[in-house]
Each structure stands twice: as structure tokens, then as C-alpha cells.
Amino acid sequence: MAHDDNSGAELAAAASSDHGPENNVSTGTAVVANDAVENPGFPPHRQRVTDLNPKKERTAERTVYTLFYLSIIGSVWAIAAYMLFPIEPENLLSVRLNNLFIGVGVALALLGIGIGAVHWAKALMADHETIDERHPVRGTDETRARAVEIFETANEESGFGRRTLIRNSLLGALVAFPLPAVVLFRGLAPEGQDPVALLNETAWEAGTRLARDPSGVPIKASDVTLGSAFHVIPEGLSEMDHMLEEKAKAIVLLMRLKPEDLNEREDRKGWSYDGIVAYSKVCTHVGCPVALYEQQTHHLLCPCHQSQFDVTNHCAVIFGPAARPLPQLPIAVDDEGYLIAQSDFQEAVGPSFWERH
Amino acid sequence: MSTATASQASASTAKKSGGFTGKAANYLDERTSISGAVKEFGRKVFPDHWSFLLGEVALFSFVVILLTGSFLTFFFQASMAEVHYDGSYVPLKGVEMSIAMASTLDISFDIRGGLLVRQMHHWAALLFVASIGLHMLRVFFTGAFRKPRELNWVIGFVLFILAMAEGFTGYSLPDDVLSGNGLRIIDGIIKGIPLVGTWISFLLFGGEFPGTAIVGRLYTLHILLLPAILVLFLALHLVFVIVHKHTQYAGPGRTEKNVVGFPILPVYAAKAGGFFFIVFGVIALIASFFTINPIWNYGPYDPSPVSAGTQPDWYIGFADGALRLVPPHWEFVLFDRTWSFNILAPLIIIGIFIVLVLIYPFIEAWITGDKREHHILDRPRNAPTRTAIGAAGVTFYAAMWAAASSDLIATHFHLTMEGVIHALQAMLILGPFVAYFITKRVCLALQKKDREIALHGFESGRIVRLPGGEFIEVHEPLDEYERWRLVSFESHAPVILRPNAEGKITNKARLRSALSRWFFEDRIAPATKKELESGHDGH
Amino acid sequence: MFTKKKRQDSAAKRGRRHPLANVALIAIGLIATGGAYAGISSATAQTESTVVSQASVEDGEKLFQANCATCHGFNLEGSDEAPSLIGVGAAAVDFQVGTGRMPMQAHNVQAPEKPVQFTDDQISSLAEYVASVAPGPAIPEEQYLDADGDAANGAELFRINCAMCHNVAGAGGALTEGKYAPSLMGVSEAHIYEAMITAPQNMPVFNDMNLSPEDKRDIITALKFMENEVSVGGHPLSSLGPVAEGLFIWIFGLGSIIAVTVWITAKSN
């Protein structure tokens, strides 16, 4: 090793005699032992087989260039695979093979270079470690004095510290100038709309028929047999402007239970029809679709954060981070036997928001 | 870094050989003064240890992300206008979807090598954040954040946050059911923020959720703003690595005043350059054999469907898990306004956690009052309290992280999801204390063992009967190099509470004294020279 | 449960042989060969036996009394242990027995899928018996089970009606209190159809007014497409999504790269 001549004692001495400004630096809580064990210095250098055995050296050399050649083969293979394994429309196997064979070629090309270079460095390049001196990160005292001087000169020449009116008015101007940019961001959302009002209403109106998601075919009460769960949208949703935004609020889950299983509050007795109930499918936690209906336990589960709602009990929260029951859609049946909404939801659907009450 | 070293490599070899390379080098140097850079950095020493390469993994996967991502931008269209899909994937034919989704499907099914690049991009992103996480753990547990590197810890942490932001914005771009529900959750979280939440959501989505703006906006963030900031911080991070020179582990011959290792040219350049290709190659290999984010299964975003097992990518998991761990009914109406503590509590807790991690170097520096530069790394056992704090933090994070997969834990280990959630709630609160206590004791025990071995040598397993009839086990003494590893550390003693110059004991001093007692009350001092000498006589 | 006893082979050794022992032994042999399992469960649809044969019903009744009546009652009236089977129809029997869920081995949160305990003939006899007591959903017609419908429509219906429990890739998912929606991969067309019309356990009913038989055929088509088509990106990691992907990158991705870093920095020999 290049630095075998460094004896341990010298290193230890170097370590304990701090140079420059580091001298008086606080050691804080550290206990500096006076008779600490001395650094023994570098251990003797161990030679590699490739240093000692020319045969091994040649083997290593061969390995390295073989790897580089393999890399070339990999690149060529990837190009060939691009042509040999084209994607045929509607043939998924061709996509699979295209992905696989181009990928394997690229990987081989990259790994060949990488492993070859590292092996070269490890086995063949000179392996003696070298030493860099460290210096304190802080500038030398002279440099720092000069920096201070420069700032003082600049202050003197500009009058930045002296002319306080200029300085303070500049600071004020600098604070004020980005503010117009903040205002510009109002344009991110359309003007003339009140988000709170929008969040408080959905596409459901009195008389809107309940329809199947996604076909939009209205549902008759007689279609909904015991134990059924229908995913529901308001009829005519697909013709609405902002279809997805309306759908995000209006989705409903329709279930039929035995009427005696429903534990209905007096004021909501008229909201169901013969054991058929409709609840908003948007979780009151952060808005995932709550659609995992267990027809025996009558529990609804949200797959995102595991909030659970009890359908028999007006969808009260029984587990998980949600706080509020799912809003109920009051339903009835029209003359033709189709299920209709009695009105919009009586409260805002979906996740809570500040202005909600 | 690899490209920089490569150009240095060409420049330096150029100068030595004559002919064309010599002329080219001369041409370049006369216009760039590059010889100065080669002289300055060409033989800069970089210590060799596997854990020092974790940051490089992050850097290299970021380069892979940039390369593959640029390719993807040529095909991806960040528009939420609706089209009827007419590509190769049969189960989506004719389905209405956004152009973003349709163009992602085209990348996957109709462009040769497109799926490969897309999968490489996504796998590299997962690897990027994972390697940053592991790199941060290495830096934390070895005390590499101490003076003069506190600011670089902060920069690195900002990079971690930026990486997560990059990941999340990218995850949301294909506009499939999984990412759409992810955005739905983000929308719900934002709406839960008091005062401004409703409006922030309204502005972010350009109206009501989901709107037609969000993918385009996230795309701008994903490919322009966030990468620009990320590259800037990355450059700063690397500049500081050069300014500070790399830390090194304690070892014979290594001191606070030197750095021992291989010079950049040629060994380190070959190793790091080779390693770049290996990381790139491993990502390519994974992408050719393993599916990631099969958006064709998820289908186009529609507010109605959702998949069982809806989770974010792993690095957002801790936040998703924190939401899941909240007990029911943490929300109330006060002053006619809704206070959603089921959202605020996780946000506040995660915020505090992030700030604590961010400022930890300054906290520790204040407690120790140690103003020296530290370039020799601590073995984790030699800083028992820091290691224990780290273990507690990891446990806390792990509880939140695991909670994000509570449903999958339940199905795969035949448990109830309620049981899993309750267990993780307990782990979130009790786990850090248990981890702290166990880790601290283990560290102290290991330190004791080290001290024992330094003083008395290894147990050789050889039993000898002394003439007096006594049986002893012969201890093999260590050689001085091995011993140095065991004794070359500093222990700390708590600050003793003393009145200041005015004869007062300030609350600040009281706090610092209490904290330093917490940190350093249990300590094992390294074996000293004197002890070693007397220790040898013992056996 | 008699097939379980047979599996222990004790009856055969003692020379006492039930008339159905041979059939049962063959079935057990097939199950033991493992690969045959999927074949058995997909061959259960017996649509041609629309005309109920009296002999078959009698066989079914005997089988029912011997294997099912303890819990479900001698007249299908049910008990505290098990629900009434009056009106569940042949489809429910074919699904429950044909996927091995019934007979149940132990009381648990839900009956798991397990090796089928009866032969196809026995299952159809049982089904005919149960259907003969009270009418209910019949075993689906072959025309809806050909998995040759509109996969795009089926996939959309699947995402809206099924994916929240069974996962978009049919990989299954968790329900409350330890229950779960099973994986749909490898489930036969008939059993998928029967599950939709008979609502086993906690699954809701999807009657023909909700999802028409053609819709069901489309859903089956989409599922079979997912099951049979090659996974284009490579190994699907159980189709479990980001959690599986995250674990994979930490354990295998970062794991292999750490192995490389150790190799890079280890001193050469």
C-alpha cells in the first residue's frame, strides 16, 4: 500500500492536534479520553490473485471483454427483437413477446457493460487505496475577513444600511410584487360558481327515476328482489353536461332487505319502499365508492379505508375512519312501478368539507 | 455523476496520449479550462462501502426515470377529453375513456417497446423512492447528518418529499380507476382542511371533482415543475457531497482529517459508471419479466367503480394507512363548520413526524453541543439513543405503512381486517416505545460485548485446565486493527445543570440538561489504553 | 361425511364397500392428482337433464339425508346451524357442492372453497332433489356459458358490480370480520353464473332484471379473457396491485441491487 509508511502514532498525533480554527471548538457532551487507544495505522496491503498470478489476470481480462462483447450481442438482440417480435393488433401474446425479448436484450446490453466495468475495476485496475486530506469546511480566517470586508464596502458604497427609507420601501415592493400571481390562480376554477352550493346539490330531483349503472335503464321496484344490490344512477345522466362530475355525486346503491330487518327512524319511514332502500355510494370519509354490500350482515364496506356502515340502521358508521352515516335518498314508486326519487339528498353527499353543516 | 466522470475520463486520457485526442483535449481546455477540473477532481478519493452506494442507486434510477419518461412524453397525451377506445385491447374496445387513458393504452399495446419503457419508468420510480428511503436510514443510523452535513440532510429530505410528489403525480396521469380513486381520496383529504379546503379542491380540479383539468395540471407538475426543482436540489446535494468529501467508517488509518478510498479516476469512475449500467439493467430485467400497474385491468376512471385492494404506490402507503387507523366518529360540527379530525389528525401527525425527521440533526446538535466536524461515521450501537429513536421512528412509519395493506394482510393471513386495524393502532402507539427500549438495550449490550472483546479477546472455545485444577477458556487476543474498530468511538456524558454567568438556571438549560440525560445517561465508554494493558494481564 | 371416511381407505381395507365407493375412489384419485381439480369443477354443468328423472331425485334424496340433513334438516327446513334450502334451486346446490363449499367442514365465518366431495352424478342428483322440493334458480343454460360474448361490456359491468369485492382482476378481496370475496380465477363459467343468481353467503343477488343472462355471459367472457389471455407485462404478481409491487421492489429489486453493491465494494480475491 502506498501509505504503509504512515505509522499509527503519527496519525494519532495528527488526529489529536487540531489545526486552525478547529482548535477551540466545543466538544459538547463528548468525553475526550486522554489515554484513548491509538490508531494503529493502515494494515498491510493484501495482494489480489490477479496481482500475483498472471494466469488469473488473463482470465479476468477475458471475462471483462467477454462481458462487453455480450453487451454488444444484447444490443443487437434488442434491435433484432424489435423487428422479429412485432406487435400484431389484438394479439396479446405478441405484446408479451415484444416486451420480453426487447427487454431481455436491453438488460443484457446494460448488465454486460456494468458488470464488465465493475469487474475491470475490481480485478485489474490498481487497487491501492489513496488518501485525501480533509480541511475544515469553513473558509480560512483571511477568506472570511475578506468576505466581511466586501460586504461592508458594498454596504458603504450603496448606503443600504444607512438609507433606511430606500431599503424598507424596496423590501415592501419585493413582498408585494408576487401577490398578483396569487390572484391569477383564481382562474384555475370557473368563475361565477360557488363550490359550496355545488357540493350541496346532486342530479337527483323529485320524480327522477332510478336507473342502472351504466346502461341507464330505469328500475322497477319488482326487479329488486330480496338480497339484491343495484348500482344506480339518475335516469338521463348520460345526456347531462358534466356527466362525470354529476355521476361522482349522484351514484347510489339500492338494496332490498326484509322490511322487518330495517330499523327505521320515524321521520324516515317514508323514505324506503317495501324494504328497498337507496343510499349514496360516496363514502363520507374521503369519497371512495362504498359498494361492498354484504347481503346477510347488511354491512357496507368501503374498500379504500375500511369504513363500515350498517344498512339496517340508516348506514350508521360501525367501524373505520368515517364519521357520518351515508346520506339516504328518499325513494318512492311511480304509476308504472318504477322507482323514483322523492327529492334530492337531504344533506351534502361525499366527504366532509369546511362549510358543510 | 457518471456522465461527468466519463467526460473527465476522456479529457484526462486525452492529455496523456498525443495525436487526435491530444489535440481535442487542447482545443477543449483552451476554451473551457477543463484541465483544472480534472486536476481538482480526477483523483478525488471516495471511500468504498456498500452502504455508500445507496444514494447512487437513487441517482441512477432517477436518470433512468428521466430517460424513460422523456420517451413516454412523446406518446402520452394529458387530455381528459373523452374518446372511444379503438386500440388493440379487446375488453376495452369501444369503451369511452379520456385521451390520457387511451394514449397510455396505446403506449402499452400498440407501440413496440412502449410497454417495456412504461414498466421501466414505473419500476424505476418505485426503486427511486425506495433507495432514497434506505439511503436516509443509512445516513441517520450512522450519524452522517452531523456537522457539517446538517443542511445536506435537509436538502436530501426535500428530495425525498419531491420524489414522493413526482411519484404521486405520475401515478395519477393514466386516468384509470385506481389512480382516479387515488385522486378522489386526495380530493376528500383536501376538502377536510379547515377554512381553505373546499376552495383549494375547487381550484385544483378546475371546478367540481373530477373535472377535465386535473390530468393536464398534474402532467405539468410531473414533467416540468417538480423535475426542475428536483434536479436543482439534486445538484445542490451532490455539490455538498464534493464540498464535504464523503464520510467514512472508522478503521485503521482513518481519521477525521483524512478520507481513504479509491480515486475517482480510474477505479471509482469504473465502479460507479458500471453500477449505473447495472441499476439500469436490473430495472430493464424487472420490467421485462414483471407487470406493473396493468391499467387495462383497472379500466378508465368512472366515479362509480372501485377495486378491492385499492392502494397507492408504496411510498404514499404511510399516509393512506394513517387515514385507515383513525377510529370512527372523529368529526364534529362547531360554530356551524365541520371539523374533520379523521383527516386532520393524520395530517397533523404526519406533519409533525416529517418536521421531526427534517430537524433531527439540529436537535441532536443542540443536545450534544458538539461543534466539531464529524467525518467518521458512528456504528449504530455506539449511539444507542439515536439508534433507538431511529428504530422507534421506523416502527411508527411501519405501522402506518402496514395499515395501508390491512385488507390484504387480513385475506392473506386469514385474519379479520378489524383485528388487523386494531393491532396496528396499538402498534402505532406502543410500538415505538417497545422498539426504542429494545433497541437501546441491544445497542448497550453490543457495546458491552465489544468492550469485553477489546479487553479480553475472542472466546476461542478452547478449555484449558490449570495446574491448580481450575478450568478456563482461553481467549484469543485481537490484533490491533480489529481492536481499533471496537475502541475507536467517543462516548458522551450528560450535561450537568449549572447556573449561567448571572447565576440563573434557564429553562432552556434545564431542557437541554434533561434531554442530554435522556440521551447519554446509559453509556459504555470505549476501552482505554490503560484498561487494555491491565486487561491483558487478566487472562 | 362418507367420502372423508373413504379417503382414509379404512372401509376398503375391511372389505365393506358402499355401492358408490368405486366412483368416490376415482374422484379422490383425480383430486389427488391435483391438476385434475380444475377439470372437475368445470364439468359440473348438467344442462341436458332438464327432464327430472325420478331415479335421480331418489338418489339425491338419499345423498341429502346422509350428508346434508343433519344441518339443513330432513325437509330442507334448515336449523340453527344452517339455512333452509327450500327454494334455493338446483343452481345453488351445484354451486355450493360443485365448488366443495358444501358439505362444510367446520363452522367458520364463511365456507371456503375446497376439493369437491361428490361426483358430478351425485351433485346433479342432489340438485334435482333440492329443486324437486321447491322451485328455485335452475342450473344455467349452456348458451350463456360459452364465454364468447362482448368482453368490453362484460368488463365494464364487472368493474361496476363486482370489482369492489372481487378486485378488478378477479383476484379477490377482504370483507368485514374475516370474510372475503374469493378469487374468480379458475372458477368455472357455470359456477360464476350460479353465484350471481343464487347469492352464496354474503354476496348480493344479481337477478336477471339487474344483469340479464346476456350481461352475465359478457361478464363471464371478460373474466375468462383475463384468465386465459397472456399477461402482457410479465408475471402479474397475483394482480394485487401496488402492495405486491411495492413489496416486490423492496425485497427483490432493492435486495438484488444491495447484493450488487456488496459485490462492487468487496475486495477482490
Side-chain angles (χ1 to χ4, degrees):
Chain A
M1 172 162 259
H3 298 270
D4 283 351
D5 49 347
N6 279 341
S7 78
E10 273 168 11
L11 280 163
S16 59
S17 75
D18 286 356
H19 53 73
E22 283 266 295
N23 247 340
N24 327 319
V25 161
S26 159
T27 59
T29 51
V31 179
V32 183
N34 292 325
D35 62 341
V37 181
E38 277 166 15
N39 192 329
F42 294 101
H45 183 61
R46 182 176 63 79
Q47 292 207 302
R48 301 166 299 185
V49 283
T50 42
D51 297 327
L52 303 170
N53 186 344
K55 222 178 185 173
K56 297 270 184 191
E57 192 188 347
R58 275 197 302 279
T59 316
E61 197 181 336
R62 213 157 35 232
T63 312
V64 172
Y65 68 65
T66 311
L67 282 164
F68 289 156
Y69 280 129
L70 265 180
S71 164
I72 297 173
I73 293 172
S75 298
V76 172
W77 169 248
I79 296 166
Y82 188 90
M83 296 175 231
L84 291 174
F85 299 96
I87 290 178
E88 294 153 20
E90 301 187 17
N91 180 349
L92 292 187
L93 184 65
S94 72
V95 182
R96 172 78 199 108
L97 295 178
N98 183 271
N99 183 65
L100 178 68
F101 287 119
I102 296 181
V104 167
V106 170
L108 182 65
L110 294 164
L111 290 173
I113 299 177
I115 297 173
V118 172
H119 191 55
W120 182 7
K122 279 177 55 131
L124 293 171
M125 291 184 187
D127 82 327
H128 46 78
E129 292 184 307
T130 52
I131 297 176
D132 265 2
E133 288 287 308
R134 281 188 200 275
H135 306 287
V137 172
R138 78 198 290 277
T140 60
D141 286 342
E142 301 87 79
T143 316
R144 287 158 64 119
R146 178 69 190 130
V148 170
E149 198 183 308
I150 289 171
F151 274 122
E152 277 169 356
T153 313
N155 186 21
E156 196 57 39
E157 292 179 354
S158 66
F160 189 77
R162 209 170 52 225
R163 301 182 169 118
T164 49
L165 262 174
I166 291 186
R167 186 191 61 200
N168 295 346
S169 56
L170 172 65
L171 291 178
L174 287 174
V175 169
F177 100 92
L179 294 180
V182 178
V183 181
L184 287 179
F185 281 114
R186 172 60 186 88
L188 283 173
E191 309 233 354
Q193 286 184 8
D194 174 15
V196 179
L198 288 170
L199 286 169
N200 276 314
E201 62 186 30
T202 75
W204 291 103
E205 290 166 15
T208 311
R209 278 180 179 168
L210 278 67
R212 289 172 184 77
D213 183 14
S215 66
V217 178
I219 303 165
K220 279 190 168 160
S222 56
D223 295 348
V224 189
T225 51
L226 202 63
S228 285
F230 281 62
H231 295 259
V232 170
I233 49 176
E235 192 185 19
L237 179 78
S238 56
E239 283 89 54
M240 287 180 197
D241 301 336
H242 308 296
M243 195 275 273
L244 282 184
E245 290 75 38
E246 293 299 344
K247 189 171 183 181
K249 292 188 295 186
I251 42 176
V252 156
L253 194 67
L254 186 71
M255 294 147 285
R256 184 173 209 148
L257 288 72
K258 289 183 193 142
E260 64 267 26
D261 282 344
L262 286 174
N263 185 14
E264 291 182 292
R265 277 198 341 238
E266 207 50 52
D267 57 330
R268 290 210 199 169
K269 280 237 152 91
W271 288 18
S272 64
Y273 176 80
D274 197 19
I276 303 177
V277 286
Y279 284 94
S280 165
K281 215 169 96 173
V282 192
C283 188
T284 56
H285 177 222
V286 286
C288 279
V290 190
L292 287 74
Y293 174 57
E294 298 180 358
Q295 60 111 347
Q296 288 177 355
T297 60
H298 310 303
H299 290 172
L300 271 171
L301 169 70
C302 177
C304 292
H305 303 102
Q306 276 91 50
S307 295
Q308 294 171 18
F309 305 86
D310 184 0
V311 179
T312 60
N313 222 352
H314 290 306
C315 281
V317 178
I318 48 176
F319 185 82
R324 288 179 292 112
L326 295 170
Q328 185 174 5
L329 183 73
I331 54 169
V333 169
D334 67 10
D335 309 340
E336 294 169 63
Y338 288 105
L339 289 165
I340 53 166
Q342 292 182 24
S343 68
D344 195 356
F345 288 100
Q346 305 281 310
E347 54 181 315
V349 299
S352 299
F353 51 96
W354 177 244
E355 296 86 349
R356 186 191 179 285
H357 46 88
Chain B
M1 176 162 269
S2 68
T3 50
T5 49
S7 66
Q8 285 158 17
S10 63
S12 86
T13 47
K15 262 184 276 126
K16 279 165 200 146
S17 52
F20 174 75
T21 43
K23 278 186 192 141
N26 181 48
Y27 183 91
L28 205 61
D29 190 41
E30 283 177 353
R31 281 154 188 83
T32 61
S33 179
I34 194 153
S35 61
V38 176
K39 174 171 166 275
E40 180 66 27
F41 301 116
R43 293 292 275 184
K44 218 172 147 54
V45 163
F46 205 91
D48 224 16
H49 190 273
W50 70 266
S51 68
F52 296 163
L53 297 184
L54 294 171
E56 277 179 32
V57 180
L59 175 67
F60 297 155
S61 25
F62 181 62
V63 174
V64 176
I65 291 170
L66 285 181
L67 293 173
T68 51
S70 303
F71 180 85
L72 294 175
T73 59
F74 299 145
F75 303 97
F76 177 71
Q77 289 169 280
S79 160
M80 290 173 89
E82 297 279 309
V83 290
H84 288 274
Y85 175 70
D86 187 30
S88 288
Y89 189 66
V90 175
L92 288 174
K93 264 200 191 273
V95 173
E96 207 175 328
M97 60 179 67
S98 64
I99 292 178
M101 174 83 182
S103 62
T104 314
L105 286 170
D106 288 343
I107 291 172
S108 306
F109 289 105
D110 293 289
I111 292 162
R112 283 189 235 180
L115 180 61
L116 179 73
V117 177
R118 207 190 124 230
Q119 297 204 120
M120 282 176 74
H121 189 69
H122 203 146
W123 280 121
L126 295 195
L127 184 65
F128 179 47
V129 198
S131 53
I132 294 179
L134 208 57
H135 175 59
M136 281 173 56
L137 289 176
R138 195 281 293 170
V139 168
F140 181 88
F141 283 111
T142 58
F145 55 78
R146 288 173 298 169
K147 190 182 172 188
R149 296 182 179 78
E150 302 99 319
L151 294 179
N152 220 17
W153 166 267
V154 173
I155 293 170
F157 194 77
V158 172
L159 281 170
F160 183 53
I161 303 277
L162 285 169
M164 290 194 283
E166 273 285 31
F168 187 81
T169 50
Y171 167 92
S172 305
L173 292 181
D175 201 22
D176 58 313
V177 161
L178 184 67
S179 70
N181 277 304
L183 282 174
R184 187 66 170 115
I185 294 169
I186 291 292
D187 172 57
I189 292 172
I190 293 173
K191 282 187 178 140
I193 298 171
L195 217 63
V196 292
T198 312
W199 272 95
I200 290 182
S201 156
F202 191 62
L203 293 173
L204 179 67
F205 288 92
E208 283 192 279
F209 176 87
T212 51
I214 187 70
V215 167
R217 288 176 184 174
L218 292 178
Y219 190 52
T220 306
L221 293 177
H222 183 72
I223 67 161
L224 183 74
L225 202 58
L226 289 171
I229 303 172
L230 209 150
V231 167
L232 182 76
F233 274 78
L234 190 61
L236 262 178
H237 198 66
L238 295 178
V239 164
F240 276 121
V241 171
I242 292 168
V243 168
H244 295 145
K245 295 196 168 88
H246 207 282
T247 52
Q248 57 189 349
Y249 285 97
R254 294 169 187 189
T255 71
E256 293 282 10
K257 302 279 169 233
N258 69 11
V259 49
V260 182
F262 290 104
I264 284 187
L265 291 177
V267 175
Y268 188 71
K271 280 187 174 183
F275 189 41
F276 165 70
F277 285 99
I278 293 176
V279 171
F280 203 162
V282 167
I283 292 169
L285 209 58
I286 292 175
S288 15
F289 284 99
F290 297 94
T291 306
I292 189 162
N293 197 19
I295 50 156
W296 46 93
N297 282 346
Y298 298 116
Y301 181 64
D302 170 339
S304 177
V306 64
S307 174
T310 288
Q311 268 101 0
D313 272 350
W314 79 260
Y315 41 83
I316 305 291
F318 76 102
D320 193 54
L323 286 175
R324 294 187 188 204
L325 289 177
V326 178
H329 308 299
W330 277 25
E331 181 183 285
F332 52 88
V333 174
L334 187 70
F335 308 123
D336 205 24
R337 289 286 178 264
T338 302
W339 300 76
S340 302
F341 278 92
N342 48 1
I343 289 158
L344 287 176
L347 284 185
I348 292 168
I349 288 169
I350 289 171
I352 292 173
F353 182 72
I354 284 177
V355 169
L356 281 179
V357 176
L358 186 73
I359 64 169
Y360 182 81
F362 307 101
I363 300 176
E364 194 185 300
W366 180 65
I367 294 171
T368 62
D370 188 348
K371 302 277 188 270
R372 297 168 300 170
E373 290 187 6
H374 290 277
H375 303 292
I376 298 268
L377 296 173
D378 282 331
R379 294 173 84 200
R381 67 184 62 173
N382 289 334
T385 307
R386 178 204 299 146
T387 306
I389 290 174
V394 168
T395 312
F396 185 76
Y397 183 93
M400 296 194 286
W401 196 23
S405 55
S406 55
D407 48 339
L408 291 172
I409 294 174
T411 48
H412 281 73
F413 297 99
H414 302 290
L415 303 164
T416 64
M417 68 165 66
E418 294 83 356
V420 172
I421 292 279
H422 286 143
L424 289 171
Q425 284 168 337
M427 180 178 164
L428 185 79
I429 293 161
L430 303 176
F433 294 99
V434 175
Y436 175 86
F437 182 79
I438 292 176
T439 311
K440 185 149 183 181
R441 289 300 126 190
V442 167
C443 284
L444 289 168
L446 287 171
Q447 271 190 298
K448 261 187 201 151
K449 192 188 105 205
D450 279 357
R451 194 179 147 86
E452 188 65 24
I453 292 173
L455 289 176
H456 306 304
F458 283 111
E459 292 170 358
S460 64
R462 200 153 53 84
I463 309 290
V464 173
R465 188 177 177 185
L466 295 184
E470 183 195 0
F471 286 93
I472 60 154
E473 185 181 5
V474 178
H475 283 227
E476 299 276 357
L478 295 169
D479 72 35
E480 54 180 347
Y481 306 116
E482 288 170 45
R483 193 170 60 215
W484 174 246
R485 277 177 217 285
L486 303 182
V487 300
S488 59
F489 69 93
E490 265 175 356
S491 75
H492 289 251
V495 190
I496 296 158
L497 196 55
R498 283 203 193 89
N500 63 10
E502 292 157 31
K504 283 184 192 149
I505 296 175
T506 60
N507 284 336
K508 205 172 142 191
R510 234 183 270 278
L511 176 65
R512 189 176 158 225
S513 156
L515 284 172
S516 77
R517 212 164 41 243
W518 169 43
F519 257 72
F520 303 125
E521 198 156 43
D522 299 313
R523 67 187 192 104
I524 308 279
T528 59
K529 223 188 300 182
K530 202 181 286 168
E531 284 171 325
L532 278 181
E533 278 153 15
S534 56
H536 282 306
D537 304 337
H539 289 281
Chain C
M1 276 144 228
F2 84 95
T3 42
K4 282 198 75 186
K5 285 184 197 143
K6 287 287 182 265
R7 187 174 288 175
Q8 293 156 4
D9 273 359
S10 56
K13 274 178 201 152
R14 287 178 207 141
R16 285 189 289 113
R17 226 166 234 228
H18 191 278
L20 286 170
N22 283 335
V23 187
L25 277 172
I26 291 166
I28 290 160
L30 282 171
I31 292 161
T33 52
Y37 171 52
I40 289 177
S41 57
S42 64
T44 42
Q46 299 289 325
T47 44
E48 59 270 34
S49 61
T50 38
V51 184
V52 180
S53 67
Q54 200 53 41
S56 180
V57 171
E58 275 165 24
D59 281 349
E61 184 169 8
K62 277 186 206 143
L63 281 166
F64 187 88
Q65 307 297 1
N67 297 288
C68 320
T70 349
C71 302
H72 289 292
F74 284 89
N75 302 309
L76 283 67
E77 73 276 16
S79 69
D80 298 340
E81 307 265 291
S84 158
L85 298 184
I86 296 166
V88 298
V93 178
D94 189 49
F95 175 83
Q96 297 285 358
V97 184
T99 59
R101 286 182 167 80
M102 291 292 144
M104 221 170 158
Q105 261 168 357
H107 268 281
N108 210 331
V109 285
Q110 76 186 56
E113 197 180 357
K114 59 181 186 294
V116 185
Q117 310 274 318
F118 297 94
T119 64
D120 294 350
D121 285 343
Q122 290 173 324
I123 294 168
S124 62
S125 302
L126 267 172
E128 279 169 27
Y129 165 67
V130 172
S132 72
V133 176
I139 288 170
E141 290 167 42
E142 202 66 64
Q143 56 174 316
Y144 300 121
L145 306 177
D146 58 359
D148 199 23
D150 179 352
N153 182 43
E156 187 168 18
L157 289 171
F158 181 80
R159 284 195 295 275
I160 286 178
N161 290 287
C162 323
M164 61 282 192
C165 298
H166 288 286
N167 166 306
V168 280
L175 298 174
T176 69
E177 283 149 13
K179 299 187 287 295
Y180 57 91
S183 163
L184 300 180
M185 293 297 106
V187 181
S188 76
E189 292 83 347
H191 288 154
I192 297 171
Y193 196 107
E194 286 160 1
M196 288 189 267
I197 53 176
T198 65
Q201 320 210 21
N202 266 299
M203 179 166 162
V205 190
F206 294 93
N207 61 35
D208 288 355
M209 283 82 76
N210 190 353
L211 297 171
S212 69
E214 288 74 24
D215 287 340
K216 293 189 174 90
R217 175 180 178 229
D218 293 346
I219 289 175
I220 291 168
T221 309
L223 277 170
K224 288 296 149 189
F225 185 94
M226 278 191 250
E227 183 178 313
N228 298 328
E229 271 298 340
V230 63
S231 165
V232 289
H235 191 284
L237 302 174
S238 311
S239 300
L240 288 178
V243 172
E245 291 157 8
L247 283 178
F248 181 85
I249 203 69
W250 270 95
I251 295 169
F252 296 102
L254 207 50
S256 62
I257 281 176
I258 285 172
V260 171
T261 63
V262 172
W263 170 67
I264 290 176
T265 51
K267 201 164 160 54
S268 186
N269 277 332

